[in-house]
Amino acid sequence: MLKTMKKLFSGDRVFYGRVLTLALPIALQSLITIGVNMLDTIMVGTLGEVELSATSLANQFINIYHIFCMGLGMGASVMVSRYWGMRESEPEKSAQALKKTICIMVRLTLGLALAFAIATIAIPGAIMGMYTTEKDIISLGIIYFRYSVITYFFLGLSLVCTIVLRSVGQVRMPLYVSMGAFCVNIAANYAFIFGKLGMPRMGIAGAALGTLIARVFEAGMICGYLFFKDKAIGFRIRHLGMKTGDLIGEYVRISIPVLVSDGILAIGNNTVAMVVGHLGVNFVAANAITSVTQQMSNVLTQGVAQAGAIVTGQTLGEGDREKALGQGYAFMGLGLALGLFAALVITVISGPVIGAYNVSEETAGVAGQLMEAIALIMIFQSTNSIMTKGVLRGGGDTKMLMLADNIFLWVLSIPLGLLAGFALHLPAFWIYTCLKFDQIAKTVWCVFRLRSGKWIKRISTGKQGGASA
């Protein structure tokens, strides 16, 4: 045990420097995005708890698409990082494989956006009805959806293209674009929600329109850079028509389990949202308040997780298996340290954050209990996120991750949450802890999976040949 504990803290300063160089811009970009969401929530919250609840629940469905796109992007990132690491030993093969991977990813993203857009247009009431039975919330959610249909296409493209750029070490450009999108979103929301700057007062519809305008800006800048200016990858619009048959099998083997895992996980998380939605308006509003705080406290963890996938993939692309194994333990140590830090931050800021919202005393009390539960769960969530979404995924262990993610969620968290919320009627602290119990179970699983060394998988460059890890 002592020997394992020592492995959690590497003496390699170059390693930590490399991780921070990748993680900090990613974390800052996530912080900006979450900051926009938080200001959106505060702005909509001034309209009332019903409007706040409607926006929160409508975004739960949009978040399913978001997570699917993250699955597509992160699955492709496993391959892109590995091919990028091969560029010196097999330059021609790695360059072609990079372009083909991006081509497949973009095609799938656009197809997925079309499917979600059609569903949002056709059955908005049924979608909102999955989360709540409150008619006022459903009607406002339908209005929000009406202005969000086109958002899917721009959101998806900006997400997956950003992940590709990060995978080859280009983390600053997406950060700068997010800063610009932040300003655009705040200005547009202020104008359209409250009817400022000569614009009509649109309320909840203005929040959706402001988000759409920001997504158009973000996608235009990110995709414009990748498709027209970037020289490192060299992907251009014409490559969207290239033949990718020889890499489809490899993409399916590595990326599709990530998509399926994140997709089913998204559905599971939405099932959790449905549980929350049926616990009453106070619980829904309290959860909307605390979820933003949880995301803000988790941004550095997510940055390190994505850095873990990139560093692990590139290290294996260079052919150094032993180095990747050692880095895996160091990443787990980082996860534990960041989890403890996040728990401390949540404990300190919970009071001021809840006080910033115009909510009832009962809602504030529920939010306080949720903050306490989030602080506890964050210790485990940070550790396993860096391992599952970073190191193990970067090693190509996507099938096992797909199984572990969904078994722990569907067998443990959701049944325990239903039991705590509807059968035992436990306080909010215990309901949330039960709904997130999978985070504790996955942390334990990650320790054993890391020690086994079986998480490192081989990735090829297609029929023309490949390289072992």
Side-chain angles (χ1 to χ4, degrees):
M1 180 61 71
L2 183 61
K3 185 177 179 181
T4 300
M5 290 296 293
K6 288 181 178 179
K7 290 181 180 180
L8 298 179
F9 304 98
S10 173
D12 186 356
R13 293 184 179 180
V14 175
F15 164 75
Y16 287 115
R18 185 181 179 191
V19 171
L20 287 177
T21 299
L22 290 169
L24 287 178
I26 295 173
L28 284 173
Q29 185 178 356
S30 298
L31 185 60
I32 290 169
T33 302
I34 292 165
V36 170
N37 292 339
M38 184 174 185
L39 288 173
D40 283 354
T41 303
I42 292 174
M43 288 183 186
V44 174
T46 62
L47 301 175
E49 289 188 10
V50 175
E51 287 83 356
L52 176 61
S53 297
T55 304
S56 174
L57 293 178
N59 276 308
Q60 289 295 333
F61 181 73
I62 296 173
N63 283 340
I64 296 179
Y65 173 73
H66 186 286
I67 294 174
F68 267 114
C69 288
M70 289 295 292
L72 283 173
M74 291 305 297
S77 175
V78 175
M79 300 173 69
V80 169
S81 297
R82 196 78 68 93
Y83 298 146
W84 187 252
M86 295 177 186
R87 67 190 185 281
E88 292 185 5
S89 59
E90 300 181 78
E92 292 185 10
K93 290 181 180 179
S94 64
Q96 281 296 106
L98 275 170
K99 292 183 178 67
K100 291 177 182 178
T101 301
I102 295 170
C103 179
I104 296 170
M105 178 192 70
V106 170
R107 290 173 183 172
L108 289 175
T109 300
L110 291 174
L112 189 64
L114 180 61
F116 271 80
I118 291 172
T120 303
I121 293 171
I123 52 170
I127 293 171
M128 286 299 300
M130 294 190 300
Y131 301 107
T132 182
T133 57
E134 300 284 340
K135 292 183 179 180
D136 290 343
I137 295 177
I138 292 173
S139 62
L140 287 174
I142 291 172
I143 293 173
Y144 190 89
F145 276 144
R146 192 178 302 154
Y147 288 85
S148 301
V149 173
I150 306 175
T151 304
Y152 292 116
F153 296 92
F154 296 103
L155 170 61
L157 286 174
S158 64
L159 277 172
V160 297
C161 291
T162 292
I163 291 172
V164 166
L165 289 172
R166 289 173 180 171
S167 299
V168 298
Q170 298 191 50
V171 292
R172 292 186 180 181
M173 192 271 175
L175 172 61
Y176 298 149
V177 172
S178 286
M179 291 178 178
F182 174 86
C183 297
V184 171
N185 201 351
I186 295 302
N189 276 3
Y190 176 73
F192 290 107
I193 292 176
F194 303 113
K196 305 294 184 179
L197 305 177
M199 298 298 157
R201 180 183 175 89
M202 299 175 64
I204 193 172
L209 181 58
T211 300
L212 171 59
I213 293 171
R215 294 304 185 193
V216 171
F217 170 85
E218 189 176 43
M221 297 296 290
I222 292 290
C223 297
Y225 178 81
L226 178 62
F227 296 159
F228 297 103
K229 188 174 181 180
D230 170 68
K231 296 180 180 178
I233 300 173
F235 187 88
R236 296 294 180 263
I237 290 290
R238 66 178 184 274
H239 292 131
L240 289 174
M242 70 190 304
K243 295 181 179 179
T244 57
D246 61 331
L247 205 63
I248 287 291
E250 191 66 26
Y251 191 95
V252 169
R253 184 177 73 83
I254 298 297
S255 298
I256 296 304
V258 178
L259 174 63
V260 172
S261 177
D262 285 3
I264 298 177
L265 199 60
I267 295 170
N269 288 335
N270 267 258
T271 303
V272 171
M274 293 174 196
V275 173
V276 170
H278 286 83
L279 289 172
V281 174
N282 296 117
F283 207 107
V284 173
N287 188 59
I289 294 169
T290 58
S291 63
V292 175
T293 301
Q294 179 183 0
Q295 291 170 16
M296 290 186 69
S297 302
N298 202 31
V299 290
L300 189 54
T301 294
Q302 295 306 313
V304 174
Q306 292 192 41
I310 295 167
V311 170
T312 302
Q314 292 181 359
T315 300
L316 291 173
E318 295 165 0
D320 198 336
R321 179 188 175 93
E322 292 303 315
K323 184 178 180 180
L325 287 169
Q327 289 174 345
Y329 282 99
F331 274 115
M332 179 170 281
L334 278 172
L336 179 60
L338 290 174
L340 291 168
F341 176 73
L344 177 62
V345 169
I346 292 170
T347 301
V348 171
I349 70 172
S350 61
V353 168
I354 295 171
Y357 290 87
N358 180 27
V359 294
S360 65
E361 185 176 341
E362 183 179 354
T363 297
V366 174
Q369 290 189 51
L370 291 180
M371 287 288 196
E372 294 175 1
I374 290 168
L376 172 63
I377 293 299
M378 189 58 67
I379 299 172
F380 300 96
Q381 184 173 326
S382 177
T383 305
N384 80 66
S385 289
I386 288 176
M387 295 307 299
T388 57
K389 299 185 183 303
V391 176
L392 303 185
R393 183 171 286 181
D397 197 25
T398 54
K399 290 183 180 178
M400 284 300 297
L401 288 176
M402 177 180 68
L403 292 173
D405 276 344
N406 292 291
I407 288 173
F408 291 134
L409 177 66
W410 291 97
V411 174
L412 290 178
S413 287
I414 291 176
L416 286 174
L418 290 170
L419 181 66
F422 296 105
L424 301 178
H425 303 288
L426 296 179
F429 174 90
W430 291 109
I431 293 174
Y432 185 89
T433 301
C434 289
L435 286 170
K436 295 292 183 179
F437 191 77
D438 61 318
Q439 301 299 325
I440 300 173
K442 278 197 292 186
T443 301
V444 176
W445 177 81
C446 283
V447 173
F448 289 101
R449 191 63 181 169
L450 178 65
R451 293 182 65 182
S452 73
K454 295 179 180 179
W455 51 276
I456 296 178
K457 308 296 182 181
R458 179 183 180 277
I459 294 180
S460 72
T461 55
K463 293 179 180 178
Q464 297 166 323
S468 297

